[in-house]
Amino acid sequence: GENVEQHPSTLSVQEGDSAVIKCTYSDSASNYFPWYKQELGKRPQLIIDIRSNVGEKKDQRIAVTLNKTAKHFSLHITETQPEDSAVYFCAAINGAGSYQLTFGKGTKLSVIP
Amino acid sequence: GAVVSQHPSWVICKSGTSVKIECRSLDFQATTMFWYRQFPKQSLMLMATSNEGSKATYEQGVEKDKFLINHASLTLSTLTVTSAHPEDSSFYICSAETGDTQYFGPGTRLTVL
């Protein structure tokens, strides 16, 4: 089955700086990679996603890059703000199967004002 | 966007009792729903995949007789934790699939005394 590794587990940045979270996956058949933001006690919220036919996607301060050859994808947050503080999860889906999400272990991002 | 509700949001029960959690897709039909379990400071672990009108598919290590799943309609899946014990205390989150995107419910915090 799919295995998703996520690094780092914790990340502290100064407000205004950039944050980068990296994930690797094992199943070369995986073709959809969403990123979720989860605040304490709340549901995961989809913030951005990328499909395997695209190398990069950007939405305002958030971008995701995908390297299919190396089987890794990254989340980039620029001009970080305190409200970006949360736990971020990457995930992968093998679309040829049942659309089951395999999550990374999460990254706790703290943005210091 | 797609909305998924979950009820109850929190529940406290005595050891040995059963608890039912409902997951509803409010504005779309979901052939497939997923049930996750999340321990504090950990990632979401898939428990089972629930398909409308058929038996759920359980992940390895998840007891199907303890975690009963029913997906009777395209908008409702239920998870019943039978004979709950303190170690079943956790945050249970469902998600409903539309296309290849999963939308999460707000979660149910179960505490078993």
Side-chain angles (χ1 to χ4, degrees), chain A residues 61-103:
Chain A
R61 297 187 296 109
I62 297 174
V64 58
T65 58
L66 171 65
N67 183 325
K68 283 181 60 179
T69 303
K71 290 190 282 188
H72 67 69
F73 55 113
S74 300
L75 177 71
H76 304 253
I77 305 174
T78 58
E79 301 173 25
T80 53
Q81 300 167 2
E83 51 265 38
D84 294 330
S85 297
V87 178
Y88 291 81
F89 292 99
C90 63
I93 283 183
N94 180 342
S98 62
Y99 297 106
Q100 289 181 356
L101 279 169
T102 301
F103 284 91

Side-chain angles (χ1 to χ4, degrees), chain A residues 36 38 43 51 99-100 104, chain B residues 38 43 49 97 100 102 104:
Chain A
Y36 291 89
Q38 187 179 29
R43 78 184 84 194
R51 300 180 192 279
Y99 297 106
Q100 289 181 356
Chain B
Q38 187 177 33
S43 188
T49 302
E97 175 197 9
D100 55 8
Q102 290 188 28
F104 287 87

Side-chain angles (χ1 to χ4, degrees), chain B residues 3-111:
Chain B
V3 178
V4 177
S5 71
Q6 215 173 312
H7 178 80
S9 55
W10 59 270
V11 57
I12 301 173
C13 69
K14 292 182 179 180
S15 184
T17 61
S18 295
V19 174
K20 179 186 281 189
I21 303 170
E22 293 186 349
C23 178
R24 294 181 184 271
S25 56
L26 298 185
D27 51 1
F28 66 100
Q29 293 182 329
T31 305
T32 304
M33 292 185 175
F34 301 89
W35 286 96
Y36 296 86
R37 185 173 181 175
Q38 187 177 33
F39 290 106
K41 299 183 180 181
Q42 293 190 22
S43 188
L44 289 85
M45 298 301 297
L46 179 65
M47 298 176 65
T49 302
S50 171
N51 294 297
E52 186 265 340
S54 63
K55 292 183 178 180
T57 303
Y58 290 82
E59 294 301 298
Q60 192 173 8
V62 178
E63 299 177 56
K64 61 180 181 180
D65 294 330
K66 180 170 182 62
F67 298 99
L68 301 178
I69 291 173
N70 183 277
H71 194 157
S73 76
L74 289 172
T75 59
L76 173 65
S77 177
T78 60
L79 168 68
T80 301
V81 183
T82 62
S83 187
H85 290 286
E87 56 266 30
D88 297 325
S89 299
S90 188
F91 193 49
Y92 292 87
I93 307 178
C94 71
S95 71
E97 175 197 9
T98 175
D100 55 8
T101 301
Q102 290 188 28
Y103 295 91
F104 287 87
T108 297
R109 185 161 301 283
L110 170 63
T111 300

